[in-house]
Amino acid sequence: MGRASKTRRARSKTGISLNAYHSVMQLRTEGWKKLKDDTSQLAEAVAQGCPTDKLKQSVAEGLALLEPIDSYWAFPSRQDSQYLSDLFDDDEYDKLSRVVARINRALASFSYRNKPVSLFIDDDFERREDSDDFSDAYQERERQSYFQRPYFEVLIVDNISPREEEALRAGLRKMRRAEDDFVYEVVVVPSFEDALIAVLFNFNIQACVIRYGFPLKSQHQLEILRQLLEDFEGQENEHLPPSHYGPLLGAKIAELRPELDLYMVTDMAVEEIAGKLCSNFRRVFYREEDYIELDLSILRGVNARYQTPFFTALTEYSKQPTGVFHALPISRGKSIIKSNWIQDMLQFYGPNVFMAETSATSGGLDSLLDPTGPIKKAQELAARAFGARQTFFVTNGTSTGNKIVVQALVEPGDIVLVDRNCHKSHHYGMVLGGAQVAYLDSYPLEAYTMYGAVPLKHIKETLLGYKRAGTLAQVKMLLLTNCTFDGVIYDVERVMEECLAIKPDLIFLWDEAWFAFAGFHPTYRRRTGMASAARLRERYLSPEYRKRYADFKDAFEKKGADDDKLWLETRLLPDPDKVRIRTYVTQSTHKRLTALRQGSMIHVFDQDFKHKVEDAFHEAYMTHTSTSPNYQILASLDIGRRQMELEGFEFVQRQTELAMVLRESVTSHPLLSKYFNFLTVEDLIPVEYRPSGIEFYYSPEKGWSRMETAWRQDEFVLDPSHLNLNIGMTGIDGDHFKHDYLMDKYGIQVNKTTRNTVLFMTNIGTTRSSVAYLIEVLVKIAHELDDRQEDLSSVERRLHQQKIHSLTHENPPLPNFSRFHDAFRINPAGHTRDGDLRKAFFMSYKDEFCEYVKLNGLRRHIAAGREMVSAMFVIPYPPGFPVLVPGQVISEEILAFMQALDTREIHGYRAELGFRVFTEAVLQTVTAHRLAEPVAEPEYAVDVTVAK
């Protein structure tokens, strides 16, 4: 039988789709595990003289499946794959088993990144190389090339022969120097489509060299690989000459993975095309040039992302001898070293953290409030990494970042549209800025006592309401949370585009506290504030969009542009001559990336920042930023940015993969599925917001859904790394399940619960071991529940079933925002939603303006016709959103919700006194004053003394 012919016969049986696997990476991982088991069994069967036909067929199919998948990675190489096929065809099954085991071990441990994995070895070499004390000349030489140096791979796109490919790889390997900071290997692919598959699949790739003379189409027909190309409309480009493929490929890779360094090698005159390619390519080379400049450019490009200006400055500062004569005794650890009583602090933290403590802004450490050195450079690198025009570091959390942005952009009398369920820092920011707040309602998920997100139709209705009232000019900002605590994500680009069609200068503040990782994966990135802002700006500058807008405007006006229903039902387009892209994103870097607690960032993409906002922004930044920032937090933001630029794609892929594994494990486990289930897309996003029709990410009956399809089409999507576990069938409420079981008994930490759910999140630090431990704990809890139910008496069993019924069928209906009382509205006679939150907030400070009323008393007063108005923020935990804000009318629905809650923590409510509300007299006085004011003057500072 000829070489590789056995594996070629198996290729027709590898039409595997993503409905069986959630990603190509999962298929590759499980494929190698299965090949290891099959080759081991085959070798054993041959040795024992057992039948082998089925095992040989399985091994042949495994080799045929992995060959095209592995061609997008440097390890195992094409030569390695050919070697495995040769061993199989030559019936060397024992050696094949050992070589496959070695590859599988290297892939699982990533040891191939630290040293070459040689497969062409004899048995004695294999035993010594696997031992701990092996250190002969071969390993020592390879150690100089690899050991303790970051490893990456370079993608080269060129349709060349295997011999030319090996010569290219050998030529670049010869360029290695002992003083290089990094080491890399080469992956060569022959076509445009193969290059796209590689950058979407291989997270080791850090640079791409696009050469000349390659075709558009890939020869690989494996369905699971071709599904990666769904976003690329290859047929549109088939008419282009091949010389255009290079620039087009560079543009597409820059869109998918903007962090990669792109280079072009061409046989065209580089002087003619270099200026056209500078936006995507770091450098263009002519074909006759040697490898030296290419190698140096590749290493220099990766090194540019590796730089951490402030972290490096801080480490250098810690090594300098200094004399400390400023107000920080802990600096250099002096006050600890001299102490007889707090040596344990030094032992716990180690010396470096104190060596880097200083209150000085000299010595190269820079000032956060007025950066000109390494902090300034670190923020510029962060802006590049996250796709912003400006980035600002925040050392006391995104709560402060939110207040900075609101204070900088909002003036008294400005109207701000706010998701009522946003983080409390936004509400307090509205108070500080003096905004007229219009609260928006998210769609309710009453079965789980949580809210989703704000529908676009509701936002448009609100904007059109202000347009009808003649006050659209006062509307300054739209503030939304993306993604929500429970993982619901907006179509950010569509929200901004349609809102800008109504209000062309509207400012957007996206709270992406839980979404910092999203900019480093192509699927997630399309729904981030910064990426959406950049796309919209580029779109509105294009002549193609101008024509599209002209056609839209003409058709829209013919249908009747004065009809609000038409505005609500049409996909709106803004006027390119009027629109301004003004987008701000606040990000809790410490929540989802590598950063110390309270490390956050503000990202800005505002076309008017320089001439309209910059001074006010810096004033707000000065107002809320400490003059003694924590340098360790700043350094962690710097190093966290480096990590995400160099391995963010890999880490986000892994984070998502582990979330999918967790979903599949719980859903498929017969005991766990008895008590638990993770909420699906269908559970969290109503069908009207899901035109894709996707209902779940995984189903035991139907397998895996294509997540990317929903992310292209749906108004809202679900972040798979947010896993809401439904625990209603346990009969234990979320608060007790969190504390009594997960945290106290098993040490598992979670952020959020509702009456019948517990939220788990995977992140870039989650490991397979931690996922396995969680599954193990859930199994133990399920066994415990089984045992407990066996011991229940008939009465106890009935009570238990009642508790289950309560958690699964009797959750309180979620109330919408009622309205602001007329006393706190600029125009009480109008029909808009906004209210003067700040006036109500500060009026509540006056005891003579307020009284306390208990729940039953509120019911009696409301039944008697009195409007009861909250003087406080009332926030039950869980669910954690403000049920009442200062100045809001208390409705029967809100009272019913509060009465049905069985939570032990309610901020703004005092059990012994009740709810703090405004007196009837003060409301009458302030309302009369409001009605007496001219509507045209949104007089803000109506002093509370008016109400006395």
Side-chain angles (χ1 to χ4, degrees):
M1 185 177 289
R3 289 195 184 279
S5 57
K6 293 181 185 177
T7 55
R8 289 195 187 102
R9 287 183 180 180
R11 286 178 186 168
S12 62
K13 300 185 178 182
T14 58
I16 295 174
S17 173
L18 272 180
N19 65 345
Y21 296 90
H22 63 76
S23 69
V24 190
M25 183 55 66
Q26 184 200 23
L27 172 59
R28 187 185 192 219
T29 300
E30 295 187 7
W32 273 104
K33 289 179 182 177
K34 187 176 187 304
L35 185 62
K36 176 187 173 184
D37 293 340
D38 288 346
T39 54
S40 176
Q41 293 176 29
L42 177 60
E44 185 176 348
V46 170
Q48 296 178 357
C50 299
T52 60
D53 288 348
K54 289 186 177 179
L55 285 170
K56 287 180 181 178
Q57 178 66 23
S58 183
V59 170
E61 291 177 359
L63 290 171
L65 171 67
L66 290 169
E67 179 187 354
I69 292 175
D70 288 333
S71 67
Y72 299 102
W73 299 76
F75 178 81
S77 66
R78 295 183 196 273
Q79 290 75 17
D80 295 337
S81 296
Q82 183 62 52
Y83 180 51
L84 295 179
S85 294
D86 291 346
L87 291 176
F88 180 64
D89 290 338
D90 292 341
D91 300 334
E92 296 189 47
Y93 301 126
D94 181 65
K95 193 167 187 179
L96 173 65
S97 173
R98 288 184 285 129
V99 172
V100 167
R102 169 168 292 189
I103 293 175
N104 193 71
R105 187 165 60 249
L107 289 172
S109 64
F110 297 105
S111 61
Y112 67 90
R113 293 175 170 179
N114 301 322
K115 62 178 181 179
V117 181
S118 177
L119 307 182
F120 304 91
I121 53 177
D122 58 29
D123 292 346
D124 182 59
F125 187 96
E126 184 178 26
R127 284 193 298 272
R128 290 187 296 120
E129 201 254 5
D130 283 342
S131 66
D132 293 336
D133 59 352
F134 177 57
S135 57
D136 64 6
Y138 170 81
Q139 190 186 41
E140 192 59 35
R141 182 175 66 253
E142 294 303 322
R143 183 188 302 273
Q144 294 299 319
S145 295
Y146 276 78
F147 187 62
Q148 289 186 339
R149 286 193 287 178
Y151 165 93
F152 65 93
E153 294 177 8
V154 175
L155 178 68
I156 296 182
V157 188
D158 199 356
N159 189 22
I160 54 179
S161 68
R163 178 174 295 181
E164 291 173 313
E165 177 182 328
E166 189 54 36
L168 173 62
R169 183 176 285 106
L172 286 171
R173 279 178 177 166
K174 287 181 181 178
M175 298 298 103
R176 289 180 182 165
R177 295 162 295 276
E179 62 271 21
D180 288 344
D181 294 321
F182 319 106
V183 63
Y184 66 87
E185 292 290 351
V186 168
V187 180
V188 180
V189 296
S191 74
F192 190 113
E193 290 186 345
D194 286 313
L196 294 183
I197 293 172
V199 298
L200 288 169
F201 178 29
N202 184 347
F203 48 68
N204 286 333
I205 293 173
Q206 295 292 344
C208 179
V209 181
I210 299 175
R211 289 160 66 92
Y212 44 86
F214 55 85
L216 186 70
K217 295 292 185 179
S218 169
Q219 296 302 308
H220 292 317
Q221 297 303 314
L222 195 62
E223 182 184 353
I224 197 168
L225 290 174
R226 298 209 59 82
Q227 285 173 339
L228 294 174
L229 299 172
E230 286 184 354
D231 280 343
F232 173 65
E233 301 295 337
Q235 294 180 352
E236 296 179 2
N237 303 290
E238 289 181 348
H239 67 280
L240 294 175
S243 60
H244 288 208
Y245 290 169
L248 179 64
L249 178 59
K252 190 62 181 177
I253 292 176
E255 176 187 337
L256 294 172
R257 293 188 59 186
E259 76 276 11
L260 299 185
D261 299 317
L262 302 180
Y263 304 90
M264 175 169 280
V265 179
T266 179
D267 56 357
M268 299 172 63
V270 294
E271 298 85 357
E272 296 178 9
I273 65 171
K276 302 176 183 178
L277 302 175
C278 60
S279 61
N280 292 323
F281 291 89
R282 290 181 64 94
R283 186 167 175 183
V284 180
F285 297 94
Y286 190 61
R287 63 187 173 101
E288 295 180 351
E289 296 174 345
D290 57 30
Y291 297 120
I292 295 177
E293 286 301 315
L294 178 59
D295 174 76
L296 291 174
S297 296
I298 290 170
L299 293 175
R300 189 180 302 117
V302 173
N303 188 62
R305 283 178 280 151
Y306 189 80
Q307 296 302 308
T308 48
F310 187 74
F311 175 73
T312 301
L314 193 62
T315 56
E316 291 301 316
Y317 170 83
S318 69
K319 301 173 186 177
Q320 298 174 6
T322 61
V324 178
F325 293 96
H326 54 70
L328 200 64
I330 204 172
S331 180
R332 323 297 285 187
K334 297 295 181 62
S335 63
I336 302 173
I337 295 170
K338 292 166 58 178
S339 173
N340 293 321
W341 294 92
I342 60 171
Q343 288 296 305
D344 51 345
M345 185 178 184
L346 184 64
Q347 294 166 6
F348 180 77
Y349 286 106
N352 279 347
V353 68
F354 304 111
M355 296 299 289
E357 269 293 344
T358 180
S359 65
T361 57
S362 57
L365 289 185
D366 209 357
S367 166
L368 180 60
L369 295 176
D370 186 23
T372 58
I375 292 179
K376 182 175 185 292
K377 180 62 176 174
Q379 291 183 148
E380 290 171 351
L381 294 180
R384 178 192 68 189
F386 289 92
R389 287 187 165 186
Q390 292 92 12
T391 288
F392 301 88
F393 290 169
V394 180
T395 59
N396 42 354
T398 303
S399 296
T400 294
N402 292 332
K403 295 169 192 172
I404 289 171
V405 175
V406 169
Q407 181 176 322
L409 296 171
V410 176
E411 299 177 8
D414 286 341
I415 297 171
V416 179
L417 279 55
V418 184
D419 177 6
R420 193 271 303 266
N421 308 304
C422 64
H423 189 265
K424 65 180 183 179
S425 60
H426 293 294
H427 301 279
Y428 291 118
M430 296 299 115
V431 172
L432 294 174
Q436 289 292 121
V437 181
Y439 281 116
L440 304 172
D441 293 315
S442 299
Y443 64 81
L445 298 166
E446 293 179 347
Y448 310 107
T449 324
M450 63 177 72
Y451 284 96
V454 182
L456 176 57
K457 183 177 181 181
H458 178 39
I459 300 171
K460 291 164 67 175
E461 284 174 337
T462 305
L463 288 171
L464 290 171
Y466 284 106
K467 184 177 180 181
R468 286 195 306 271
T471 54
L472 185 62
Q474 288 178 242
V475 178
K476 175 67 74 70
M477 177 191 290
L478 172 65
L479 194 162
L480 298 171
T481 303
N482 188 52
C483 67
T484 71
F485 213 151
D486 297 297
V488 179
I489 301 169
Y490 288 84
D491 185 342
V492 174
E493 181 179 328
R494 180 176 179 183
V495 170
M496 292 202 294
E497 183 158 71
E498 294 213 49
C499 289
L500 289 170
I502 301 172
K503 170 75 171 168
D505 60 346
L506 187 64
I507 302 173
F508 299 89
L509 171 52
W510 295 97
D511 184 336
E512 295 185 0
W514 297 99
F515 214 40
F517 65 88
F520 301 93
H521 191 281
T523 301
Y524 282 100
R525 187 186 303 110
R526 71 181 67 181
R527 289 186 177 244
T528 64
M530 289 296 98
S532 298
R535 281 197 307 274
L536 290 178
R537 178 183 177 275
E538 182 178 359
R539 179 182 304 162
Y540 299 150
L541 290 175
S542 69
E544 294 82 6
Y545 178 80
R546 286 188 170 276
K547 182 180 185 307
R548 181 185 169 199
Y549 174 74
D551 294 341
F552 161 80
K553 183 180 179 182
D554 183 58
F556 192 70
E557 289 177 346
K558 287 179 180 178
K559 291 179 182 178
D562 294 331
D563 183 2
D564 278 6
K565 184 178 179 182
L566 180 64
W567 282 81
L568 294 175
E569 295 178 353
T570 303
R571 177 72 182 260
L572 303 176
L573 297 178
D575 185 339
D577 291 325
K578 296 179 180 179
V579 71
R580 304 296 293 171
I581 304 301
R582 308 192 64 190
T583 306
Y584 293 75
V585 165
T586 53
Q587 171 198 99
S588 291
T589 317
H590 65 99
K591 280 188 170 72
R592 303 306 295 268
L593 304 182
T594 299
L596 292 176
R597 193 167 179 83
Q598 297 188 27
S600 297
M601 297 186 193
I602 300 170
H603 302 301
V604 180
F605 196 111
D606 185 350
Q607 291 179 282
D608 295 336
F609 183 81
K610 287 292 184 183
H611 65 280
K612 285 188 177 181
V613 181
E614 188 169 31
D615 290 341
F617 186 93
H618 287 299
E619 282 299 312
Y621 193 76
M622 294 277 189
T623 300
H624 294 280
T625 301
S626 171
T627 55
S628 302
N630 186 305
Y631 280 164
Q632 279 68 45
I633 293 177
L634 291 173
S636 73
L637 290 172
D638 197 15
I639 203 105
R641 184 274 315 158
R642 175 215 278 178
Q643 179 184 47
M644 294 310 289
E645 275 204 287
L646 291 168
E647 53 189 349
F649 179 68
E650 172 186 356
F651 275 39
V652 176
Q653 285 271 60
R654 210 176 288 165
Q655 161 186 309
T656 305
E657 178 184 346
L658 291 175
M660 296 301 195
V661 167
L662 194 49
R663 272 188 173 81
E664 180 182 16
S665 299
V666 171
T667 306
S668 303
H669 196 289
L671 177 59
L672 292 181
S673 59
K674 177 181 176 182
Y675 293 104
F676 308 110
N677 66 279
F678 283 115
L679 300 187
T680 65
V681 176
E682 183 181 25
D683 293 325
L684 292 171
I685 302 174
V687 65
E688 60 264 33
Y689 308 122
R690 291 184 283 108
S692 71
I694 287 178
E695 300 175 347
F696 52 81
Y697 288 146
Y698 176 76
S699 162
E701 297 79 22
K702 299 181 181 180
W704 295 96
S705 295
R706 291 290 288 137
M707 170 179 133
E708 292 80 1
T709 303
W711 285 57
R712 283 193 301 272
Q713 301 178 17
D714 293 352
E715 180 171 346
F716 301 110
V717 294
L718 179 64
D719 177 6
S721 69
H722 289 240
L723 300 108
N724 271 291
L725 187 70
N726 185 359
I727 60 170
M729 293 303 296
T730 66
I732 306 167
D733 67 76
D735 192 54
H736 285 91
F737 192 86
K738 169 184 175 180
H739 290 96
D740 299 347
Y741 287 87
L742 295 178
M743 296 182 69
D744 295 346
K745 198 168 186 178
Y746 296 106
I748 290 179
Q749 300 176 3
V750 295
N751 284 101
K752 175 182 176 289
T753 64
T754 67
R755 291 188 74 238
N756 55 12
T757 68
V758 178
L759 176 65
F760 299 90
M761 284 186 285
T762 56
N763 56 56
I764 65 169
T766 304
T767 64
R768 288 191 176 273
S769 296
S770 58
V771 169
Y773 178 61
L774 175 57
I775 295 170
E776 176 189 343
V777 165
L778 293 177
V779 170
K780 288 180 178 179
I781 294 173
H783 279 301
E784 183 179 333
L785 293 171
D786 267 356
D787 294 341
R788 182 182 301 172
Q789 289 195 37
E790 288 182 4
D791 296 336
L792 294 177
S793 66
S794 59
V795 175
E796 290 172 331
R797 191 177 301 277
R798 187 166 60 252
L799 292 173
H800 181 65
Q801 289 302 318
Q802 289 175 356
K803 182 66 173 176
I804 291 175
H805 187 270
S806 172
L807 291 173
T808 55
H809 294 88
E810 296 178 349
N811 287 304
L814 294 171
N816 283 331
F817 182 82
S818 52
R819 63 182 177 84
F820 281 106
H821 189 272
D822 288 350
F824 304 107
R825 297 172 63 196
I826 293 297
N827 183 6
H831 301 287
T832 54
R833 302 169 62 92
D834 52 296
D836 193 337
L837 183 64
R838 180 171 181 171
K839 171 171 260 317
F841 181 86
F842 285 109
M843 277 181 59
S844 69
Y845 282 18
K846 302 289 187 180
D847 288 341
E848 61 268 31
F849 294 166
C850 304
E851 60 183 317
Y852 282 95
V853 182
K854 291 196 172 182
L855 189 63
N856 289 335
L858 288 174
R859 285 189 178 279
R860 288 194 302 271
H861 285 299
I862 292 173
R866 175 183 167 186
E867 286 191 322
M868 305 300 292
V869 180
S870 178
M872 303 283 288
F873 285 104
V874 178
I875 307 174
Y877 280 85
F881 55 82
V883 174
L884 291 167
V885 304
Q888 180 183 349
V889 174
I890 303 173
S891 66
E892 277 286 358
E893 292 76 16
I894 291 171
L895 293 181
F897 177 77
M898 294 295 297
Q899 192 165 33
L901 280 177
D902 50 7
T903 182
R904 51 181 157 180
E905 183 179 353
I906 302 178
H907 299 178
Y909 170 78
R910 296 178 62 176
E912 74 280 11
L913 297 174
F915 295 85
R916 188 174 173 92
V917 298
F918 289 112
T919 66
E920 196 167 14
V922 77
L923 292 174
Q924 292 174 352
T925 302
V926 177
T927 302
H929 182 84
R930 288 284 194 197
L931 292 172
E933 291 175 340
V935 173
E937 295 182 18
E939 179 66 34
Y940 169 73
V942 179
D943 191 81
V944 293
T945 55
V946 171
K948 288 186 179 180

